[in-house]
Amino acid sequence: MKLKNIPFFEKTTRPLLIAGPCSAESEEQLLAVAHALKGKEVSLFRAGIWKPRTRPGCFEGVGRPALEWMKRVKEECGLPLTVEVATAQHVEQALEAGIDVLWVGARTVTNPFAVQEVADALQGVDIPVLVKNPVNPDLELWIGAMERLYNAGVTRLGAIHRGFSSYAEKYFRNTPQWQIPLELRRRLPGIPMICDPSHIAGKRELVISLSQQALDLSFDGIMVETHCNPVCALSDSRQQVTPDELFMILDKLVRRSAVSDSGCFANYRSRMDSIDEQIMELLSKRMDISREIGVVKRENGYTVFQPSRYNDTMERCAAYCKGKNLDVEAVKTIFEAIHSESIRQQLRIVNEGNE
Ligand code: PEP
Ligand code: MN
């Protein structure tokens, strides 16, 4: 994909900011937020016109009439506009209303039929489109949505990380998995990467720390749901901040430089590189032993996976971490990966004779 720049993002000093309410609820509500944000560093004014709700019976957006209110926002406050589209009809109406940037929501990105419908409706219209991650942590699905849009002629694409849903009892409404957007950026260099701390957090108190984390991971900007009276908001009331809270958050954010080729890291990096080499040397030796054990298992008819051995390894790992300034869960993840590679190697050996 050969992506072009999104004009509204060009002149902005980082982080670029998308702000506005979760939903357009009334003309007064929308204009109140817009006037409060006017003249500040807002790249795009957001509002949901058609709301994809998990359960029926919740506020589902006011639809087309809200596009007229959005036009007033632009006229009175000079703010470029972005709305979520999920169907061909949404696209048609948003384009007709002169919306500047579209975004495709997490639920829509999860469904290739829906994304294709949006892409078909955009055939030949090179409007910028921001693509949220799908609700499930599937990078290919996320990239696939961008490819569908790109194939329809959309060359100004951006990505939004809004976290991933999970069944478990959770601290975040949608758990962030930062490695996924970072891998997306590795695969699509130059794509603007926005973080949506509001939908990750689910509660306004966490918006600042998530925004800081995104900046520290070199995200280009943040999308923050902003409402003049969040407690009375018709959707996502717990996670919206007031314009004043938003300005306070922006004031407090520490902006660090992304440049990393300065000489100050050289000494540390060469020490790290040498440790990495030692780790790989040791891994290679460990895999040699694993393969030898594989031969023993094959010759004696033992199963490759030995649960007690696996549990012992994890317990030793946890014990070793104590007093070592190592995070047990992080180290366990590494050992799970090493163990699973050992098992893969041994499965090959055990099955060699069967092919
Ligand atoms: C939104 O931004 O209002 C929204 C519905 O987000 P998501 O698609 O991330 O749930
Ligand atoms: Mn919302």
Side-chain angles (χ1 to χ4, degrees), residues 103-178:
W103 93 76
V104 186
R107 290 164 190 79
T108 308
V109 175
T110 309
N111 176 357
F113 288 135
V115 176
Q116 193 58 52
E117 180 182 326
V118 169
D120 291 345
L122 283 170
Q123 192 77 43
V125 188
D126 200 2
I127 187 172
V129 181
L130 306 175
V131 183
K132 287 201 169 194
N133 64 253
V135 287
N136 53 326
D138 184 338
L139 177 58
E140 298 308 316
L141 199 54
W142 197 0
I143 293 182
M146 298 203 195
E147 285 168 344
R148 286 177 197 280
L149 292 159
Y150 186 79
N151 292 344
V154 178
T155 58
R156 296 165 218 272
L157 287 166
I160 304 178
H161 178 38
R162 49 78 79 196
F164 299 94
S165 65
S166 71
Y167 179 63
E169 182 74 24
K170 52 213 172 167
Y171 180 65
F172 296 112
R173 178 178 176 198
N174 293 290
T175 314
Q177 293 201 34
W178 302 101

Side-chain angles (χ1 to χ4, degrees), residues 22 51 199 225 236 239:
C22 175
K51 298 301 298 175
H199 286 90
E225 285 190 339
D236 291 351
Q239 72 194 31

Side-chain angles (χ1 to χ4, degrees), residues 21 29 31-34 36 226-231 241-243:
Q29 169 254 6
L31 285 163
V33 186
T226 313
H227 193 291
C228 291
N229 189 2
V231 181
V241 298
T242 63

